[in-house]
């Protein structure tokens, strides 16, 4: 039996927080070749729908999801027709969707979808400002405008500090976090964040473990069981 999984972490656009009406999953460019294999597409064509029926592992409800390429000069792919699933699951930024393909016999595939709720605070780096937006800040011990935490990073204990700097509505900030050039400019609280004496300048998650937090530098997607 062969099991292949594609894990997709939702950003603010996909969680419906960017002001856009259409909900879809934007596939990162470097994940495209493997997702095309996962979907079983041998020759990807422009403006062609590639539907697959996925069964929700919790409810057994079926959802027909569509992979589609929209631009001739871009490698961008989108997973469409997922709005019902996102609303059924009451999704939030940072939640994970896992797409699973199981093959028990050659050429015969079963497809499943599942959701894992986000259980960590998200530190989203805004490059134009060199500052951070903190999502799910209520998961931190300190919810004030500044805080200091002992965290574990790469197996070592280190201090992470954050301090409010400004509220900003620059479109550049919204576009950077949301990842969608069509998104409306949003209002964000921006923080200076330091890990030790340095600013890591990458997106991070802080996950509670006992009386400490573990710093995880997470990609927006993962594949398991499938190589390039």
């Amino acid at each position: 039996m062969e099991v292949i999984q594609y894990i997709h972490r939702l950003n603010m656009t996909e969680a419906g927080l960017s002001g856009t009406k259409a909900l879809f999953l934007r596939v990162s460019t470097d994940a495209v070749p493997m997702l095309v294999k996962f979907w079983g597409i041998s020759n990807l064509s422009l403006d062609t729908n590639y539907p697959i029926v996925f069964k929700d592992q919790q409810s057994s409800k079926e959802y027909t999801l569509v992979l589609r390429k929209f631009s001739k000069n871009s490698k961008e792919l989108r997973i469409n027709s997922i709005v019902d699933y996102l609303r059924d699951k009451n999704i939030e930024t940072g939640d994970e969707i896992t797409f699973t393909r199981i093959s028990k016999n050659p050429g015969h595939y079963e497809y499943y979808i599942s959701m894992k709720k986000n259980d960590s605070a998200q530190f989203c780096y805004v490059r134009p400002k060199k500052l951070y937006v903190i999502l799910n800040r209520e998961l931190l011990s300190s919810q004030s405008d500044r805080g200091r935490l002992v965290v574990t990073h790469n197996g070592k204990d280190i201090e992470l500090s954050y301090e409010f700097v400004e509220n900003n509505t620059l479109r550049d900030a919204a576009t950077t976090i949301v990842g969608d050039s069509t998104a409306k400019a949003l209002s964000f609280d921006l923080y200076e964040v330091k890990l030790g004496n340095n600013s890591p300048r990458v997106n991070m998650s802080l996950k509670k473990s006992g009386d400490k937090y573990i710093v995880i530098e997470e990609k927006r997607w993962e594949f398991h069981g499938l190589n390039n």
Side-chain angles (χ1 to χ4, degrees):
M1 182 173 71
E2 179 188 53
V3 179
I4 297 172
Q5 290 185 321
Y6 167 60
I7 299 173
H8 185 104
R9 294 183 178 89
L10 296 166
N11 63 19
M12 292 175 69
T13 295
E14 295 160 346
L17 300 179
S18 67
T20 58
K21 294 182 180 179
L23 292 181
F24 56 84
L25 304 189
R26 183 190 297 272
V27 181
S28 298
T29 302
D30 45 354
V32 166
M34 288 187 285
L35 190 61
V36 168
K37 289 182 181 180
F38 176 96
W39 225 262
I41 301 171
S42 57
N43 186 21
L44 185 66
S45 299
L46 182 66
D47 290 334
T48 300
N49 289 333
Y50 298 93
I52 288 180
V53 177
F54 287 82
K55 180 180 288 187
D56 179 41
Q57 289 186 321
Q58 284 78 38
S59 68
S60 295
K61 182 177 179 179
E62 293 185 342
Y63 298 85
T64 300
L65 308 182
V66 175
L67 193 68
R68 186 176 173 92
K69 181 179 180 180
F70 285 84
S71 173
K72 181 178 180 180
N73 299 319
S74 171
K75 295 181 180 179
E76 177 189 333
L77 290 182
R78 295 179 182 177
I79 299 176
N80 282 350
S81 303
I82 197 168
V83 60
D84 288 342
Y85 182 78
L86 298 181
R87 289 174 176 167
D88 284 350
K89 296 299 181 180
N90 192 27
I91 50 81
E92 298 175 334
T93 302
D95 289 348
E96 294 180 358
I97 297 178
T98 297
F99 301 86
T100 302
R101 188 182 83 180
I102 298 176
S103 176
K104 297 179 181 178
N105 300 303
H108 177 72
Y109 302 116
E110 297 175 3
Y111 295 89
Y112 298 91
I113 188 170
S114 62
M115 169 72 74
K116 178 183 177 183
K117 299 300 292 183
N118 175 38
D119 59 356
S120 59
Q122 308 286 312
F123 286 71
C124 302
Y125 183 60
V126 184
R127 292 187 182 279
K129 302 293 292 185
K130 296 182 180 179
L131 297 170
Y132 286 80
V133 171
I134 304 178
L135 302 176
N136 302 328
R137 192 159 63 96
E138 67 275 7
L139 298 177
L140 299 176
S141 297
S142 173
Q143 297 179 38
S144 63
D145 286 342
R146 65 177 65 186
R148 295 180 181 273
L149 304 167
V150 175
V151 300
T152 300
H153 182 245
N154 293 331
K156 297 180 179 179
D157 287 348
I158 191 171
E159 184 180 84
L160 181 144
S161 62
Y162 60 90
E163 183 172 355
F164 174 79
V165 176
E166 62 179 292
N167 181 272
N168 198 283
T169 55
L170 283 179
R171 185 172 183 83
D172 286 345
T175 302
T176 300
I177 299 166
V178 172
D180 185 349
S181 61
T182 66
K184 296 179 181 178
L186 302 176
S187 177
F188 297 108
D189 287 339
L190 296 172
Y191 295 80
E192 181 182 51
V193 176
K194 288 188 177 181
L195 198 55
N197 295 320
N198 303 308
S199 173
R201 299 186 178 184
V202 295
N203 292 338
M204 301 181 295
S205 296
L206 248 63
K207 195 165 192 174
K208 191 75 179 290
S209 177
D211 60 348
K212 294 183 180 179
Y213 292 86
I214 298 175
V215 178
I216 303 173
E217 297 177 14
E218 294 180 329
K219 294 181 66 175
R220 281 248 298 134
W221 60 272
E222 294 177 35
F223 260 104
H224 299 289
L226 182 64
N227 298 318
N228 281 310

